[in-house]
């Protein structure tokens, strides 16, 4: 069975500060890991994905995530938050059986 | 424009009245999937389809049906809706490789069952 745990349902940072959103996964097979972002009243869009190539993955809008197998983690970071980053972020894991599992989401608030 | 469309966007209905939420994509994608989003639970997969006439259950299929008669369409059917199916529903599609490549999401359908 696979699952995804996102620590912190709400994270608040100041504009210009580091963004760190945490994600831990459990998977019985090598995982495919993703971060999706959902802006208010919109569907989800892909930020980045890990599919067993480089462990540090760069995505859109300056976000990146590092796959750490020993910690079963795939935390999302951005060095400097912008007001436009305010959204809900979902970590997700897929497997070779075509099922897909999302975490419960983390809402990012960016303060001026 | 490449997109996934869902209709209706908003629906209020009563318990037991059958309804269908349509989903259509214009990208010739093989894989399509339905999710429901509930506060604190994230998105949970209801059903998915690898291609025409090939569908399978996700994590929370109870109370839902799907069909895939054409590649572009993947309707979600609630035969007898109940209040616990009040949720925000998303349809998604992707190319060969299923969810292991990028999924493209529709705008969502907010369903309320009274």
């Amino acid at each position: 069975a696979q699952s995804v745990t996102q620590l912190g349902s709400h994270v608040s940072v100041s504009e210009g500060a580091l963004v760190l959103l945490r994600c831990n996964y459990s998977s019985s097979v090598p995982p495919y890991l993703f971060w999706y972002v959902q802006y208010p009243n919109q569907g989800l869009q892909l930020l980045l994905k890990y599919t067993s190539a480089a462990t540090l993955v760069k995505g859109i809008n300056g976000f990146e995530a590092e796959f750490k197998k020993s910690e079963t983690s795939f935390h999302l970071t951005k060095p400097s938050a912008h007001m436009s980053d305010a959204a809900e972020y979902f970590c997700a894991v897929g497997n070779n059986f075509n099922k897909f599992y999302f975490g419960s989401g983390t809402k990012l608030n960016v303060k001026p | 424009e490449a997109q996934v469309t869902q209709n209706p966007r908003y629906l209020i209905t009563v318990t037991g009245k059958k309804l269908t939420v349509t989903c259509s994509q214009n990208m010739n994608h093989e894989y399509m999937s339905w999710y429901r989003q509930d506060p604190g639970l994230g998105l949970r997969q209801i059903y998915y389809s690898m291609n025409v006439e090939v569908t399978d259950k996700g994590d929370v299929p109870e109370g839902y049906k799907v069909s895939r008669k054409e590649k572009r369409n993947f309707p979600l059917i609630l035969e007898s809706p109940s209040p616990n199916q009040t949720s925000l529903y998303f349809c998604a599609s992707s190319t060969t490789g299923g969810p292991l490549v990028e999924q493209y999401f529709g705008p969502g359908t907010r369903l309320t069952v009274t």
Side-chain angles (χ1 to χ4, degrees), chain B residues 33-36 44-48 56-62 64-66 76 89-90:
Chain B
S33 185
W34 276 103
Y35 299 90
R36 60 177 288 174
R44 293 177 292 168
Q45 192 173 38
I46 303 171
Y47 270 95
Y48 64 93
D56 208 346
K57 296 177 181 178
D59 233 17
V60 288
E62 295 77 19
Y64 304 95
K65 285 176 56 177
V66 293
L76 180 69
Y89 291 86
F90 287 101

Side-chain angles (χ1 to χ4, degrees), chain B residues 8-13 19-21 109-113:
Chain B
R9 294 288 313 279
Y10 301 90
L11 179 59
I12 301 174
T13 189
L19 67 91
T20 299
V21 183
T109 295
R110 187 167 292 282
L111 172 65
T112 302
V113 184

Side-chain angles (χ1 to χ4, degrees), chain A residues 4-5 14 19 21 42 45-46 48 51 53-54 56-57 61 67 72 79 82 84 90 93 99 106 108 112:
Chain A
V4 178
T5 303
S14 297
V19 175
L21 305 182
Q42 294 185 28
Q45 63 183 82
L46 182 68
L48 51 80
T51 55
L56 182 62
V57 181
N61 301 335
F67 171 67
T72 61
H82 295 163
S84 60
F90 294 93
V93 60
K99 292 191 176 182
T106 298
L108 176 65

Side-chain angles (χ1 to χ4, degrees), chain B residues 23-92:
Chain B
C23 173
S24 182
Q25 49 91 7
N26 62 1
M27 295 169 280
N28 201 36
H29 284 168
E30 288 83 10
Y31 182 93
M32 297 185 75
S33 185
W34 276 103
Y35 299 90
R36 60 177 288 174
Q37 182 179 17
D38 301 290
L41 297 177
L43 283 81
R44 293 177 292 168
Q45 192 173 38
I46 303 171
Y47 270 95
Y48 64 93
S49 170
M50 294 298 294
N51 214 323
V52 175
E53 302 291 2
V54 181
T55 63
D56 208 346
K57 296 177 181 178
D59 233 17
V60 288
E62 295 77 19
Y64 304 95
K65 285 176 56 177
V66 293
S67 68
R68 188 91 180 272
K69 294 184 170 59
E70 305 167 280
K71 197 171 187 179
R72 63 183 294 127
N73 296 324
F74 190 45
L76 180 69
I77 303 157
L78 284 72
E79 295 268 4
S80 183
S82 62
N84 65 12
Q85 293 178 297
T86 292
S87 188
L88 179 58
Y89 291 86
F90 287 101
C91 180

